[in-house]
Amino acid sequence: MPENVVSVEKLNERLVANPFNAWMGLRIVELTEETIEISLEWREEMISNPKARVTHGGVLGALIDVAADFMIGAKVGAPVPTVDLRVDYHRAAAPGNLKAIGRIVRLGSTNSVAEAHVYDEEGRLIASGRGVYFTAAAKK
Amino acid sequence: MPENVVSVEKLNERLVANPFNAWMGLRIVELTEETIEISLEWREEMISNPKARVTHGGVLGALIDVAADFMIGAKVGAPVPTVDLRVDYHRAAAPGNLKAIGRIVRLGSTNSVAEAHVYDEEGRLIASGRGVYFTAAAKK
Amino acid sequence: MPENVVSVEKLNERLVANPFNAWMGLRIVELTEETIEISLEWREEMISNPKARVTHGGVLGALIDVAADFMIGAKVGAPVPTVDLRVDYHRAAAPGNLKAIGRIVRLGSTNSVAEAHVYDEEGRLIASGRGVYFTAAAKK
Amino acid sequence: MPENVVSVEKLNERLVANPFNAWMGLRIVELTEETIEISLEWREEMISNPKARVTHGGVLGALIDVAADFMIGAKVGAPVPTVDLRVDYHRAAAPGNLKAIGRIVRLGSTNSVAEAHVYDEEGRLIASGRGVYFTAAAKK
């Protein structure tokens, strides 16, 4: 695996300049050569079922996509287009902040694969998934 | 395939009572025995890359999930938990409203599969996907 | 969608020249501008659980992959590399021949998406899925 | 995570009693509380493209499915039905034996998620993926 080519500060600027990411209150908490940790600030509008008050799966999927994408971004210089994404929902998320850990599965010349796991504030695994990202343009 | 067991009005009430769905401006436009059409009202906070101004993939994924889920909901009486979701991104979505068409692939006793396709205002296919939904509880 | 650029005879030659496809007894039954139908000749070694005698999910997945891939092949001239594949298993397949219908979801410049549905001899839906295929090289 | 409830010998008996698994020459090499390693014995009929002589993606998908499934089997007592599977293809596999490492992502009451990574004899990552497995019956 190549070394990161951008700083966490630079990558975080890119993250929060993205309006939907900003709406989700995303922030890069930590970036290592192997993982990225991104926190999400919960808000009332993220709720799905109003009685169960669980966080909407679409928000969890977005968080997984961003964490996987930005770990690739650390290696290629910038976030890249998502080709496809698979999300598995493991447990309902009660109201509260979340964090995601992103990792690269395979950095390829054209398409790359990365995964992410989402945890609640008690450290329980809420959702996880993996996606294919188009890295051809970014690596040129 | 069994007949729908809820009216479009009832299903739409469920849809908009969901805060994140309401935030996305979702509304059921049409419900037949085979398909559900759900519209999304675009908003500035849905943007991903601020320069390209494309709609965030997380929003597209959420829309696919909801359209697939609510078509199952029409058959079993209520929306059901998503087990997993796969989304394919076909084309960047410029600012503008979107619509999704949901269809059932297989209605099962425990797990069911449904799919949805997202189109922009010019009718171009933006994204599509399919998910597994847990229908055991709903069908009891 | 562009027109097919290869004949069904030519595409079938490619199919059966592939040793694993030949082992599965695959054959193109029909090719239209929209769909490809591929038949699989069941064999004892395809069984999974020896008591239930159902066809192995790996064989069903391979059939879906081939049907989706070869429909793209009809448009771009030759089968193309699979980037990823998702398979949903709907119903156990008893011993017997199978057929798959492949369709293109989106023909793209670099990555394309196609899907396929597998049916048993009574026409019951056994499995279905979709994959991303790398079409950049083939289209040059 | 609960402890394994079957021995590697017992699980291996189940593995090789499965005709398609036997055809692939599968064998459990090692079983720990966290991982299962399964080897595949390459054979000529596994080839896809006859010129490139790479191993067919359907075989790689089957291997991933089995490794993920049998790691769950170690926890619940027996292999379980696959609900769906996603496979990412990272690199073409030249002729030669393969091995897969399976791990559980989330052991649930009804549906569980497990993943597997496939490596060639030089230890290169060839393919990986994850699936949902129906564990309700097995855990009763």
Side-chain angles (χ1 to χ4, degrees), chain A residues 83-84 86 110-111 132 134, chain C residues 83-84 86 110-111 132 134:
Chain A
V83 175
D84 66 49
R86 174 194 172 111
T110 306
N111 290 311
V132 170
F134 184 63
Chain C
V83 174
D84 66 51
R86 175 195 172 110
T110 306
N111 289 312
V132 170
F134 184 63

Side-chain angles (χ1 to χ4, degrees), chain D residues 57-127:
Chain D
V59 172
L60 302 175
L63 177 55
I64 286 172
D65 185 21
V66 171
D69 196 333
F70 275 72
M71 187 65 226
I72 290 178
K75 298 297 178 190
V76 302
V80 289
T82 307
V83 174
D84 66 50
L85 183 71
R86 176 196 170 110
V87 178
D88 290 282
Y89 298 100
H90 304 305
R91 180 194 293 264
N97 298 339
L98 297 169
K99 71 171 187 182
I101 308 287
R103 281 182 192 82
I104 291 170
V105 176
R106 159 79 176 160
L107 200 61
S109 54
T110 306
N111 290 311
S112 295
V113 176
E115 63 177 13
H117 294 73
V118 173
Y119 302 90
D120 68 11
E121 291 175 304
E122 279 74 46
R124 287 178 296 217
L125 181 65
I126 299 298

Side-chain angles (χ1 to χ4, degrees), chain C residues 28-99:
Chain C
I28 302 176
V29 176
E30 188 183 43
L31 175 67
T32 72
E33 292 296 329
E34 304 297 330
T35 58
I36 193 168
E37 181 181 334
I38 295 182
S39 61
L40 173 148
E41 199 180 333
W42 184 84
R43 50 194 299 167
E44 192 73 26
E45 300 99 315
M46 288 177 178
I47 282 182
S48 177
N49 184 322
K51 281 176 197 155
R53 288 181 58 76
V54 299
T55 301
H56 199 287
V59 172
L60 302 175
L63 177 55
I64 286 172
D65 185 22
V66 171
D69 196 333
F70 275 73
M71 187 65 226
I72 290 178
K75 299 298 178 191
V76 302
V80 288
T82 307
V83 174
D84 66 51
L85 184 71
R86 175 195 172 110
V87 179
D88 290 282
Y89 297 100
H90 304 305
R91 179 194 294 265
N97 298 338
L98 297 169
K99 70 171 187 183

Side-chain angles (χ1 to χ4, degrees), chain D:
Chain D
M1 192 78 71
E3 291 193 358
N4 294 345
V5 297
V6 285
S7 67
V8 62
E9 291 76 21
K10 194 104 184 171
L11 212 54
N12 204 48
E13 275 174 34
R14 289 293 295 263
L15 184 72
V16 300
N18 176 310
F20 187 63
N21 290 348
W23 184 85
M24 291 191 286
L26 301 191
R27 194 171 59 84
I28 302 176
V29 176
E30 188 183 44
L31 175 67
T32 72
E33 292 296 329
E34 304 297 330
T35 58
I36 193 168
E37 181 181 335
I38 295 182
S39 60
L40 173 147
E41 199 180 333
W42 184 84
R43 50 193 299 169
E44 192 74 25
E45 299 99 318
M46 288 177 179
I47 282 182
S48 178
N49 184 323
K51 280 176 198 156
R53 288 179 59 76
V54 298
T55 300
H56 199 288
V59 172
L60 302 175
L63 177 55
I64 286 172
D65 185 21
V66 171
D69 196 333
F70 275 72
M71 187 65 226
I72 290 178
K75 298 297 178 190
V76 302
V80 289
T82 307
V83 174
D84 66 50
L85 183 71
R86 176 196 170 110
V87 178
D88 290 282
Y89 298 100
H90 304 305
R91 180 194 293 264
N97 298 339
L98 297 169
K99 71 171 187 182
I101 308 287
R103 281 182 192 82
I104 291 170
V105 176
R106 159 79 176 160
L107 200 61
S109 54
T110 306
N111 290 311
S112 295
V113 176
E115 63 177 13
H117 294 73
V118 173
Y119 302 90
D120 68 11
E121 291 175 304
E122 279 74 46
R124 287 178 296 217
L125 181 65
I126 299 298
S128 63
R130 48 165 56 200
V132 170
Y133 296 88
F134 184 63
T135 40
K139 297 182 76 178
K140 270 172 196 163

Side-chain angles (χ1 to χ4, degrees), chain C residues 107-125:
Chain C
L107 200 61
S109 54
T110 306
N111 289 312
S112 295
V113 176
E115 63 178 12
H117 295 72
V118 173
Y119 302 90
D120 68 10
E121 290 175 306
E122 279 74 47
R124 286 178 297 217
L125 182 64

Side-chain angles (χ1 to χ4, degrees), chain A residues 91-108:
Chain A
R91 178 196 294 267
N97 298 339
L98 298 169
K99 70 171 188 182
I101 308 287
R103 281 182 192 81
I104 291 170
V105 176
R106 160 80 175 159
L107 199 62

